Amino acid sequence: MSEFAEDSIVVLAEVTPSGELARNMAALIGAASLVGTPVVLVVTPPGAGADVARAAAQVGAAHVLVAESAEVTTLLSVPAADALAAAAELVQPDAILVSNSIEGRDAAARFAARTRSALCVDAIGVARDDEGVLASHSVYGGTYEVTSTATFGAPVITVRQGAIEARASAVAAPVIRSLEVAASGRRAASIDSIEEETQSATTRPELRGAGKVVSGGRGLGSKEKFELVDQLADVLGAAVGASRAAVDAGYVPQSYQVGQTGVSVSPQLYVALGISGAIQHRAGMQTAKTIVAINRDEDAPIFEIADFGVVGDVFTVVPQLIAALRSRA
Amino acid sequence: MKIIVLVKEVPDTYGDRKLSLETGIADRAASEAVLDEIGERSLEVALSFADENPKTDVVVMSMSPESSKATIVKALAMGAASAVHIVDDTLSGADLGLTAEALAAAISRAGFDLVIAGNQSTDGTGGVIPAMVAELLEVPQLTALRSVTIEPDSVGGVRVSDNATLTVSSRLPAVISVTESLPDARFANFKGILAAKKKPYEMISLAELGVQPDNANSARSIMVAVSEAPPRAGGVKIVDQGDAGEKIAEFLIANRVA
């Protein structure tokens, strides 16, 4: 009899370079809890595993496997993929869930290719039927909904950040054990330096996975005037995004770009300021629950999908909106 | 140095893109086919290196139906020396695993020092093929690079990760993927378009690569359902009469998203 539940789901925890459990792990463990018993794999530098394991238990990990290795901060992806292989071998899970992030995708890709497991990417939901675990996807920028699964074996599923609302309850007495990992000996790229992004002073949420997003487009007119987007975002507690036009015009860095070739977001609220709503932009945000748009051009395509659209000047409407929100706060 | 650039024909994102509701497979006839922009940028990385290093052999590689030859030839017109096109009817609807196996087999057969791909295609947006191919080829992967430095025996760059920016490097052979921070691709000029017609263009099948689509040892990802999402309907649209800011605030509060 295995120490792991029949319906175990291995979750690869994402750890920040400074050794903390990534904030979006509550959603990933929440997703796992919808289809089975989460067994969370924590891969950290030596000495950091215990704290991360406890943080994982706080967001619903009943079972935590800790793999500590000095190589996680010096070698790219291979240490995580090797740990995933060891965890899957030990646990024999029904599915493996990984965040659809840059690091998560690479580890999942290597593991799936190595073990010839089915890989289902960018899931916005998970479910279970008699045959096993299923992943649902939103395809072509939300135009189609597709369900996928593995022909056999445990599927490896990367889960879109911000797409899962389920949360698992905290586990008071988690089972934490260390995991022995046999190195695959695969060559890996070396990490020569790491510059961790400092949290902005405003504690503004990250764009990926944010519950609310305020985005600005070329209608803002300049880098200085883009400040208006930041102001509204801070009043709403929202992340800041931008259209490609605003990025190309140099108002904000490329990491702000929402759309086909940037970040895909599915927030509760998406506010588009001075964004016309080209199809590429809509592809990255039209699965938002509520969309509000302000644009001077009454024919802007963004209005076709906005729940509340205002034809007007962002520089008069937004300050009034900010004042109204502040007065009711 | 031999550089293989992975390119892909995709439906143009400027138009409506369709999936067949019977098979879940892309309806290629429904939209205009173009070379994916990120693949063009990947090619530009290889071509700019070749400009400075004349002994560089730049090969473009793609896996797609025979009909996409015209799109792939565009990469030859831009400056690639030859093309390898994996064409096989059994690849229709291939999942990521089979795609990676076919590409890795073709890359290995051609021989390579460096493989360059885009970080994510505009149609599948999976972003996993470069790392899968690297795993199968047993070489390092350096994905999501916003800058690339290629040396005779190594490659490096700046990788935009989730909460950090990493400087990464590796000896060759290796697989890299680049983001759209890399420069736009050059245009194919008239001379290039004429020259493309005479460049080597090889079509290979899965059998020639020794890849089996139905391999009992490889689990595949399959679609079990596909449906068209209900089109998102527009809601209220008002013209600002001087109180639109107030009205939005009321709307946000009523919907509990303020």
Side-chain angles (χ1 to χ4, degrees), chain B residues 179-193:
Chain B
T179 71
E180 61 179 7
S181 304
L182 271 296
D184 278 329
R186 63 194 63 189
F187 287 103
N189 58 26
F190 187 64
K191 202 174 136 206
I193 293 165

Side-chain angles (χ1 to χ4, degrees), chain B residues 41-116:
Chain B
R41 284 180 204 261
S42 309
L43 178 57
E44 181 59 39
V45 172
L47 294 177
S48 359
F49 179 78
D51 289 345
E52 304 297 318
N53 300 271
K55 281 185 183 164
T56 310
D57 182 16
V58 178
V59 181
V60 288
M61 184 179 286
S62 199
M63 183 188 109
S64 54
E66 196 170 348
S67 60
S68 63
K69 183 178 175 181
T71 305
I72 297 163
V73 167
K74 190 185 164 199
L76 294 178
M78 286 165 64
S82 63
V84 176
H85 185 176
I86 307 165
V87 180
D88 202 303
D89 288 344
T90 59
L91 285 170
S92 176
D95 77 336
L96 293 158
L98 178 55
T99 304
E101 283 175 37
L103 289 170
I107 292 165
S108 185
R109 179 176 177 268
F112 70 103
D113 296 297
L114 179 62
V115 176
I116 308 180

Side-chain angles (χ1 to χ4, degrees), chain A residues 77 103 106 114 192 260 288 306, chain B residues 122 135 141 143 161 167 232 235:
Chain A
S77 310
E103 301 297 341
D106 278 0
R114 188 181 301 175
D192 304 324
Q260 181 78 60
Chain B
T122 52
E135 175 68 28
Q141 101 284 355
T143 55
S161 183
T167 310
R232 195 172 178 117

Side-chain angles (χ1 to χ4, degrees), chain A residues 146-197:
Chain A
V146 169
T147 307
S148 72
T149 191
T151 48
F152 61 85
V156 180
I157 302 171
T158 71
V159 180
R160 184 183 292 183
Q161 299 171 78
I164 306 285
E165 287 175 36
R167 296 292 181 269
S169 337
V171 175
V175 180
I176 301 177
R177 58 167 277 181
S178 67
L179 176 73
E180 204 155 309
V181 178
S184 64
R186 287 279 196 276
R187 290 173 55 222
S190 52
I191 302 170
D192 304 324
S193 73
I194 300 178
E195 192 185 322
E196 193 163 2
E197 274 170 29

